[in-house]
Amino acid sequence: MKIVYNGEMDERQGKAVLGETIPAILESDPDAIYLDADLMSCIGTLKYGQQHKDRAIDCGIAEANMAGVAAGLAMAGFKPIIHSFGIFASRRCFDQIFLSGGYAKNDITVLGSDPGVTAAMNGGTHMPFEDVALYRVIPGSTVLEPSDPTCLISLLKQCVNHPGIKYLRVGRKSMARIYADGSELPIGKATVLRDGTDAVIFAAGIMVHEALQAAASLEKQGISAAVVDCYSIKPLDAEIVIAMAKKTGAAVVAENANRHGGLYSAVLEVLAENCPVPAANVSVEDEFGEVGTQGYLQQRFGLTAEHIEAQVKAVIARK
Amino acid sequence: MDQQEVKALKALAVRIRLATVEAIHSIGSGHLGGALSIGDVLAVLYGREMNIRVDDPTWPERDKLVVSKGHAGPGVYGTLAVKGYFPYEELKTLNKNGTRLPSHCDRNKTPGIDVTTGSLGQGTSQACGLALGDRLKGRKDRVFLIVGDGEMDEGQCWEAFSFAAAHKLSNLVVLIDWNKKQLDGMCDDILPMGSFKEKMEAFGFDTVQINGNDVEAIAAALERTRQGGDKPYAIVLDTVKGAGIEEVANTVMNHSMPVNDEKYEKWTGELKKELAELEG
Ligand SMILES: Cc1ncc(C[n+]2csc(CCOP(=O)(O)OP(=O)(O)O)c2C)c(N)n1
Ligand SMILES: [Mg+2]
């Protein structure tokens, strides 16, 4: 793994990465099988799907059925990967994922696209702020949120052979470039992207880029903030969380999700039991989503580098 | 229905399509195909069939419309703007930051929108609840439910239809927009549904199938549903996705489409010409 972040966007969009990686997985593993619910066009897999109808199955607009079918395919010896928008891949089929999947020990990889405010133009009905919380409470589940295309590829490939229910929260648009091509980001680990001494920012997904921007700006003001990429929200890398909290003595968590039940909750659980330090969040404050550009929504819900900066200063003041 | 009324309904359908294109052009792209396919049924509902008060959008006794295929929001907003529920100019705020016109129908944001939809399937059960609730409250109104043919993949639709028949919701009219396409392509290539007419009949609905882009046929079919009885009604609307604008109708993947300045000029020009002929 090598960090190459310089503030620029990766030229590969999430959609294109999924459109390449899913077929590549299917081609390399005959037991892998991919199911979608009428949204293949949205993640670049439609062409492959139309040419390989036995490997890539369009289930129609029936997410609950798709999840149950995936459980059956798992029993029959397959490794199902299913996709829908994050809202439908979580809320719409939660009971089927929970029981037919998790409880019955039928392993399924779930891709939920358009996390949080990245659902932008599709609006409030399509904006998942709660998917992380829902998937975290399935026993034995794995919840992942890649911060860049390389991280996405690495995690998706691991998911296929990882036990249990795996939820991968994945953007379809541009993301920052954080890791060198080919880097491996192991499930269960976190990456210290930037070291620091005054506070640590734990972030996931699009908030990693915001956190790095915030840390750069804070440095100019004489504040040393560390940044940790918590792409593995569950299992969370408790070792790094504890070490960085102890080292800096103050923590901020930045997530593109509701403050309840997501990464903030996960980090606080570790801190409370091991090394309570002043902590604060940059999250959506218990609200539903709405329509608008991603930039507007990040302002509207307080998910920008400036919001992170303010919270870092606030936690340091509470030390 | 006299020919003058038919002409007026046709003109309203064109005005609705003009308004729909106006709204989607303002943001650059959107769910054009499925908004256009229901242009004619919206015209007959709002121009003739529904008992509504534009100046009192929450009047409890009004007929209600549930657009369960909530992504057709721009088509419904176009209709509401033409009817005067809000200023026509507001169509240009579609999907803009802070708008009252989000991409999917939202009862708490838009005057005249009765039910929040966007997660396909969910409007069907809400429509049943509304129809049952209004009946229990002694109201005489009816509930119209527009469902997409792709949307019919959702099991919830069929749970709702079983409920509607069990409770003899004859104040419910289900309008199925059978435009043959969903997001990834043709419905028959993804999840063939067979005959909606036979399925709805088997589920206990009084069902007819008509040309869903013909205002006269729609008006006649809706008139039939006024008679009450002990069955809910279903009308299978045989439509074209993108109906009313030739180039859109002829585009294979027309679920979500860009409307740039050039297309806007071309399509609104065609529609205005059609309107002038009808109203000429
Ligand atoms: C539960 C759910 N799953 C997926 C989607 C995404 N989606 C929006 S429109 C659409 C296709 C709808 O097809 P159809 O019902 O036929 O609508 P129309 O052709 O009238 O546009 C899909 C899959 C959704 N809105 N809701
Ligand atoms: Mg359709």
Side-chain angles (χ1 to χ4, degrees):
Chain A
M1 185 268 294
K2 192 172 156 226
I3 299 160
V4 295
Y5 181 80
N6 64 2
E8 278 166 25
M9 291 289 133
D10 197 299
E11 66 230 9
R12 297 164 295 178
Q13 298 228 328
K15 174 176 169 175
V17 173
L18 289 168
E20 279 174 22
T21 311
I22 294 170
I25 289 171
L26 296 171
E27 290 303 315
S28 67
D29 184 345
D31 286 338
I33 190 162
Y34 155 59
L35 282 69
D36 208 309
D38 198 25
L39 294 176
M40 285 190 180
S41 338
C42 300
I43 58 163
T45 52
L46 184 61
K47 203 162 165 219
Y48 183 88
Q50 285 170 341
Q51 289 163 355
H52 303 84
K53 293 209 175 220
D54 51 344
R55 306 298 312 285
I57 297 164
D58 207 327
C59 301
I61 312 167
E63 297 77 10
N65 181 60
M66 172 170 73
V69 170
L73 285 164
M75 274 185 276
F78 285 93
K79 303 170 189 169
I81 302 168
I82 72 175
H83 165 255
S84 185
F85 290 152
I87 39 172
F88 309 128
S90 57
R91 306 195 304 253
R92 196 69 200 225
C93 53
F94 189 66
D95 193 33
Q96 285 75 12
I97 292 286
F98 192 101
L99 271 189
S100 304
Y103 181 81
K105 300 210 183 322
N106 291 313
D107 300 347
I108 303 170
T109 299
V110 184
L111 302 178
S113 57
D114 287 1
V117 292
T118 71
M121 283 302 147
N122 265 330
T125 56
H126 283 54
M127 202 160 282
F129 291 153
E130 62 295 322
D131 50 338
V132 173
L134 284 168
Y135 271 97
R136 275 186 72 223
V137 295
I138 300 177
S141 68
T142 300
V143 182
L144 307 166
E145 184 168 4
S147 52
D148 89 337
T150 300
C151 183
L152 163 57
I153 295 168
S154 171
L155 293 174
L156 180 50
K157 288 186 171 162
Q158 292 171 66
C159 275
V160 181
N161 291 305
H162 198 80
I165 298 297
K166 288 92 32 171
Y167 182 67
L168 196 62
R169 194 178 197 243
V170 33
R172 293 191 289 143
K173 304 184 190 124
S174 338
M175 292 179 259
R177 181 159 189 250
I178 292 177
Y179 301 103
D181 292 1
S183 294
E184 291 300 341
L185 288 306
I187 290 174
K189 297 284 177 205
T191 316
V192 180
L193 293 175
R194 184 184 172 115
D195 211 348
T197 50
D198 297 328
V200 54
I201 308 163
F202 299 108
I206 61 163
M207 297 311 290
V208 172
H209 171 61
E210 299 296 328
L212 287 164
Q213 296 289 311
S217 165
L218 285 163
E219 186 178 38
K220 290 187 193 128
Q221 303 164 54
I223 297 169
S224 165
V227 175
V228 178
D229 180 0
C230 296
Y231 60 82
S232 182
I233 298 173
K234 184 189 174 191
L236 184 65
D237 189 340
E239 218 173 289
I240 282 191
V241 170
I242 293 165
M244 293 308 289
K246 279 193 175 149
K247 179 171 178 184
T248 61
V252 170
V253 178
E255 60 186 346
N256 174 18
N258 191 299
R259 65 178 281 129
H260 299 296
L263 181 62
Y264 186 43
S265 299
V267 169
L268 291 186
E269 286 160 17
V270 172
L271 295 182
E273 287 173 9
N274 298 283
C275 58
V277 297
N281 68 316
V282 171
S283 324
V284 176
E285 290 296 323
D286 208 30
E287 283 192 89
F288 294 107
E290 66 179 56
V291 77
T293 61
Q294 185 179 320
Y296 164 78
L297 295 169
Q298 283 187 242
Q299 285 293 344
R300 158 76 182 79
F301 291 105
L303 304 180
T304 69
E306 292 74 46
H307 290 94
I308 296 174
E309 259 189 76
Q311 289 296 60
V312 168
K313 289 176 187 165
V315 279
I316 291 175
R318 280 164 47 206
K319 271 203 208 178
Chain B
M1 221 174 32
D2 61 44
Q3 280 315 297
Q4 211 164 337
E5 198 183 353
V6 174
K7 259 193 174 180
L9 289 175
K10 281 186 179 169
L12 178 56
V14 176
R15 284 188 188 281
I16 288 171
R17 291 192 167 100
L18 265 170
T20 305
V21 174
E22 189 76 54
I24 295 180
H25 170 252
S26 72
I27 192 79
S29 77
H31 295 119
L32 192 56
L36 291 175
S37 60
I38 57 169
D40 305 288
V41 73
L42 287 170
V44 180
L45 285 169
Y46 282 90
R48 182 172 201 263
E49 192 63 25
M50 286 198 343
N51 184 22
I52 46 178
R53 291 179 184 166
V54 174
D55 55 0
D56 186 7
T58 58
W59 172 46
E61 310 278 335
R62 74 192 184 284
D63 285 344
K64 282 115 193 156
L65 176 65
V66 184
V67 182
S68 193
K69 39 173 268 186
H71 58 280
V76 192
Y77 306 151
T79 313
L80 295 174
V82 169
K83 290 296 286 183
Y85 280 86
F86 50 80
Y88 196 82
E89 275 301 298
E90 199 173 334
L91 288 173
K92 292 187 182 149
T93 69
L94 178 74
N95 286 0
K96 299 265 164 64
N97 304 335
T99 187
R100 295 199 293 176
L101 307 178
S103 56
H104 298 82
C105 297
D106 191 323
R107 66 189 286 263
N108 296 307
K109 290 211 156 77
T110 315
I113 290 291
D114 292 321
V115 170
T116 297
T117 53
S119 180
L120 293 167
Q122 295 201 19
T124 60
S125 306
Q126 296 187 73
C128 289
L130 258 178
L132 177 63
D134 280 350
R135 192 177 73 192
L136 291 172
K137 289 277 186 192
R139 297 184 194 120
K140 296 283 173 267
D141 65 87
R142 292 185 299 152
V143 177
F144 299 90
L145 164 66
I146 299 180
V147 196
D149 49 359
E151 179 177 13
M152 295 285 256
D153 296 352
E154 287 286 356
Q156 181 170 1
C157 299
W158 303 97
E159 296 177 26
F161 300 151
S162 302
F163 182 95
H167 293 271
K168 303 185 180 10
L169 299 179
S170 58
N171 57 344
L172 174 71
V173 182
V174 180
L175 299 145
I176 301 168
D177 183 15
W178 184 35
N179 63 18
K180 332 293 180 295
K181 289 183 190 174
Q182 48 197 94
L183 196 148
D184 275 343
M186 304 301 291
C187 299
D188 274 351
D189 291 336
I190 295 169
L191 199 67
M193 280 277 146
S195 160
F196 284 123
K197 181 163 185 293
E198 285 169 24
K199 276 193 154 133
M200 294 308 284
E201 272 164 358
F203 270 71
F205 279 63
D206 180 318
T207 311
V208 295
Q209 180 174 316
I210 57 163
N211 178 347
N213 292 126
D214 173 353
V215 292
E216 236 179 316
I218 299 168
L222 282 172
E223 204 168 305
R224 256 195 88 246
T225 66
R226 295 177 193 167
Q227 62 203 18
D230 61 359
K231 280 183 174 186
Y233 291 91
I235 302 175
V236 181
L237 301 166
D238 184 349
T239 58
V240 172
K241 196 156 176 167
I245 302 178
E246 212 182 325
E247 192 179 347
V248 180
N250 289 337
T251 303
V252 178
M253 295 299 268
N254 63 3
H255 183 73
S256 180
M257 278 179 74
V259 183
N260 59 24
D261 292 346
E262 184 202 327
K263 299 289 179 203
Y264 171 78
E265 293 301 334
K266 181 164 178 264
W267 297 341
T268 55
E270 289 168 10
L271 288 166
K272 280 179 185 155
K273 199 167 150 237
E274 200 182 336
L275 191 61
E277 279 162 18
L278 283 164
E279 292 183 338

